[in-house]
Amino acid sequence: MIKKFLIFLLLFFSYANATSWYSKGCINEALKSFDVEENIDDMPYLEKMLESYKSSMKTHLDRHEEIREDFEYVKNELQKNNLPVSIAYVCFAESNFQRKARGYNTAGIWQLTNSSARILGLEVSRKVDERVDVKKSTQAVIKLWKRLLKKYDKLYLADFAYGIGEGGLDRMIESRDSRSFAKLWKSGRIKYGTKAHFTKVILLHCAFSAKN
């Protein structure tokens, strides 16, 4: 009985320590950095997802030292191009900053599809896949983020477009007759994967801000 209790305490304090950076104030700052005007207290549906994913951030935080060089490169290039540094957290959410990460027709730290990569000027063939080249893929993606931000003028909308495509987002905005974060989130048209992606990015912003 005592042994089980001690194990419970160990797990409890490990969890508490792993999520000690989490606070509503920090979350609101992260949301603000993505141009979200709503407060987390007014969005219980988002708060529920944040609560369910926050413990998984330890995996990303533990990789920080291992991928520090790539992380700093991405952040510096974003700054040079007058883009929000928050975009760098997309790489963690997409691939955990793994250079050779591959998904369904996607690859690299930015998880670009074959077609998107080619449109951005990257070579994708049997012999060469520049999506797994951190520098080349980042330079290509910077062009995309610039265009998305110019078009939508809100970082959260640009992030949605990055995940579901501009066409999908445009149709969603038109159907809801709104660009409001809360209205789009509750529309039922944003897939769970896109919501999970955005949730992780907000948590990562908060976790790394506390770490630094």
Side-chain angles (χ1 to χ4, degrees), residues 17-184:
N17 184 58
T19 60
S20 60
W21 47 266
Y22 184 87
S23 71
K24 287 187 177 181
C26 183
I27 293 299
N28 280 327
E29 283 299 315
L31 289 170
K32 186 177 179 180
S33 76
F34 272 78
D35 303 316
V36 176
E37 297 178 358
E38 294 88 346
N39 188 290
I40 189 61
D41 287 327
D42 301 322
M43 299 186 289
Y45 41 86
L46 174 58
E47 186 174 7
K48 185 177 180 180
M49 286 197 71
L50 290 165
E51 289 284 349
S52 67
Y53 276 101
K54 67 181 181 182
S55 62
S56 66
M57 294 302 103
K58 187 178 185 302
T59 302
H60 303 298
L61 290 168
D62 289 346
R63 272 185 58 76
H64 182 240
E65 290 303 319
E66 184 181 343
I67 54 84
R68 178 184 291 273
E69 185 178 340
D70 289 346
F71 187 37
E72 292 301 317
Y73 172 79
V74 171
K75 288 198 300 181
N76 289 336
E77 291 306 306
L78 289 169
Q79 287 180 318
K80 286 180 185 178
N81 286 275
N82 298 312
L83 288 169
V85 175
S86 304
I87 293 172
Y89 301 120
V90 169
C91 296
F92 278 108
E94 290 284 349
S95 66
N96 201 14
F97 251 104
Q98 296 182 58
R99 294 186 177 194
K100 296 182 179 180
R102 290 189 179 275
Y104 180 71
N105 194 36
T106 59
I109 62 171
W110 295 101
Q111 287 295 283
L112 293 170
T113 62
N114 295 343
S115 57
S116 294
R118 291 184 178 118
I119 290 171
L120 292 171
L122 294 174
E123 182 179 351
V124 180
S125 65
R126 290 185 177 180
K127 293 183 178 180
V128 179
D129 190 344
E130 292 184 334
R131 293 176 298 175
V132 299
D133 184 306
V134 172
K135 293 184 178 180
K136 289 182 178 180
S137 64
T138 297
Q139 293 303 322
V141 165
I142 280 174
K143 299 175 188 176
L144 174 59
W145 281 104
K146 280 185 172 181
R147 182 165 58 78
L148 292 176
L149 276 170
K150 183 177 181 180
K151 177 177 179 178
Y152 296 107
D153 194 39
K154 299 286 185 183
L155 186 51
Y156 71 85
L157 289 174
D159 186 67
F160 287 169
Y162 187 85
I164 65 177
E166 293 173 67
L169 180 59
D170 291 342
R171 288 190 293 273
M172 192 185 308
I173 291 173
E174 184 178 359
S175 68
R176 300 296 294 180
D177 192 26
S178 175
R179 289 158 50 93
S180 159
F181 174 86
K183 288 184 178 179
L184 293 176

